Amino acid sequence: MSIFESFGLRKVINASGKMTALGASAVSNEVAEALKQASQDYVDIEEMMEYSGKAIAEYTGAEDGCPTCGAAAGIAISTAAIITGKNLTLIERMPDSEGLRNEIIIQKGHQVHFGANIGQMVRIGGGKVIEVGSANKVEADHIEQAITDKTAALLYVKSHHAVQKGMQTIETMMNIAQKHNIPFIIDAAAEEDFKMYIKIGADIVIYSGGKALEGPTSGFICGKKELMEACRKQYKGIGRPMKVGKEGVAGLLTALKQYASLEDNAEDQIERMTQLNQSLEEVEGLTCSIKQDEAGRAIYRAQIEVNADKTGMSAQELLNRLETGNPAIFLRHHYVNIGILSVDPRPLLKGQEAIIANTIKSILREG
């Protein structure tokens, strides 16, 4: 019995992905041990924060870093750092940034909801969101023409949530930022490469610690030294209510240390999802395939198209039955409105794909 079942909560099978709503990742034994040891000891927090910045820099190739309680906090803290620098008086003013250089330019297709609103995270940090272009089309001129003497930074959101079609590339946006000597921020929360964006010249890059890294609920910011020092100083301001504890930092650093040794399991993902698809082939009205992640990551999910006329049940109805069962099975449902459900193999424990297939068949048989 899991710790959550002992509380009287339902068992959860997570086939949705490394989603915050389901607890993000299940950590390794090494990370779990680090969390345990840190929770039973003491440390000078300021010293720990400075050390963690150096460690994050080592693993990302950045000049410095800053641990956070999550990527969303990283957006707010980075925004505040850009606006205030290391000025304590300004830090204590945030999010009141009236009269300061506070405008953050973002492409309209990147102003997304990830469980909360990207724009709100910027506003918490004192930023004024400036959306440019249209939801499905942004020209380089839209970005450049939005720059004023109030522009504090350009923000790029690298995410499957963001519109992929019609947006300007990271390179284009970064070139514009560099041309105007404006900091360039990349929200790369779920990305797998922790060095790429720093290497190409981004000033600030934000990651989740509980997604690709498979660490605890945490996050980190990396980038230029002056900006990272300003980020850490935000814990005397808007960062205070979103502070990361000693346990989170210990788990984060342990996860970063072991990340390089994690194996690419794309072949295993494809094999497991192929088996699931084959098990569902016998069900009339289900069309199954394997699809790579929309953002181009090495993630291969089973895609299940539900023909309601043949199954007698819509994809939304099937999803509701799965989620309200015990165990509760959560599938990826970004396209449920057009009859598509997906199974993400990464968070699945061994053999759970068979449970999912059998449960789907059982639900559809019962009607």
Side-chain angles (χ1 to χ4, degrees), residues 18-24 211 330:
K18 297 177 181 180
M19 311 298 287
T20 301
L22 297 176
K211 300 288 177 67
F330 289 85

Side-chain angles (χ1 to χ4, degrees), residues 18-34:
K18 297 177 181 180
M19 311 298 287
T20 301
L22 297 176
S25 292
V27 303
S28 68
N29 289 333
E30 291 79 7
V31 172
E33 183 62 25

Side-chain angles (χ1 to χ4, degrees), residues 67-71 207-211 213 215-220 244 248-249 251-253:
T68 68
C69 64
Y207 293 96
S208 169
K211 300 288 177 67
L213 185 60
T217 300
S218 59
F220 61 97
V244 58
V249 173
L252 172 68
L253 297 183

Side-chain angles (χ1 to χ4, degrees), residues 45-184:
I45 296 296
E46 189 169 345
E47 185 179 332
M48 179 190 73
M49 295 295 282
E50 190 169 336
Y51 169 80
S52 65
K54 294 176 182 176
I56 290 167
E58 178 184 349
Y59 293 116
T60 62
E63 295 177 7
D64 202 350
C66 175
T68 68
C69 64
I75 297 172
I77 288 171
S78 296
T79 300
I82 289 286
I83 295 170
T84 69
K86 293 181 280 187
N87 185 312
L88 182 59
T89 301
L90 295 181
I91 288 168
E92 292 177 345
R93 265 184 59 183
M94 293 301 103
D96 174 12
S97 62
E98 186 177 354
L100 302 176
R101 180 178 290 183
N102 63 357
E103 293 181 356
I104 309 296
I105 295 174
I106 184 171
Q107 301 186 68
K108 195 173 187 67
H110 289 189
Q111 176 47 312
V112 296
H113 197 282
F114 60 94
N117 184 273
I118 286 281
Q120 185 176 20
M121 301 307 105
V122 172
R123 291 192 296 274
I124 288 172
K128 179 181 179 182
V129 179
I130 305 296
E131 294 182 19
V132 296
S134 301
N136 65 339
K137 185 65 175 177
V138 177
E139 299 281 3
D141 283 348
H142 288 133
I143 300 169
E144 191 139 18
Q145 290 166 8
I147 294 173
T148 71
D149 59 0
K150 290 288 188 180
T151 302
L154 272 58
L155 171 62
Y156 188 99
V157 179
K158 179 68 171 131
S159 168
H160 67 275
H161 292 294
V163 174
Q164 306 298 319
K165 176 185 176 183
M167 298 297 106
Q168 290 298 306
T169 65
I170 286 174
E171 290 75 15
T172 297
M173 204 169 188
M174 184 166 61
N175 288 339
I176 293 171
Q178 291 173 346
K179 175 182 174 181
H180 293 272
N181 197 30
I182 297 168
F184 182 51

Side-chain angles (χ1 to χ4, degrees), residues 1-12 325-328:
M1 178 183 291
S2 74
I3 183 68
F4 300 114
E5 288 177 281
S6 74
F7 296 154
L9 302 173
R10 290 180 299 153
K11 179 179 179 60
V12 165
N326 193 5

Side-chain angles (χ1 to χ4, degrees), residues 297-325:
R297 296 173 293 172
I299 304 168
Y300 296 87
R301 304 183 180 97
Q303 180 172 286
I304 305 167
E305 296 184 49
V306 181
N307 185 327
D309 292 335
K310 294 182 179 180
T311 61
M313 184 179 296
S314 70
Q316 184 65 64
E317 291 170 322
L318 175 58
L319 181 71
N320 291 343
R321 291 280 295 275
L322 289 166
E323 291 184 353
T324 55

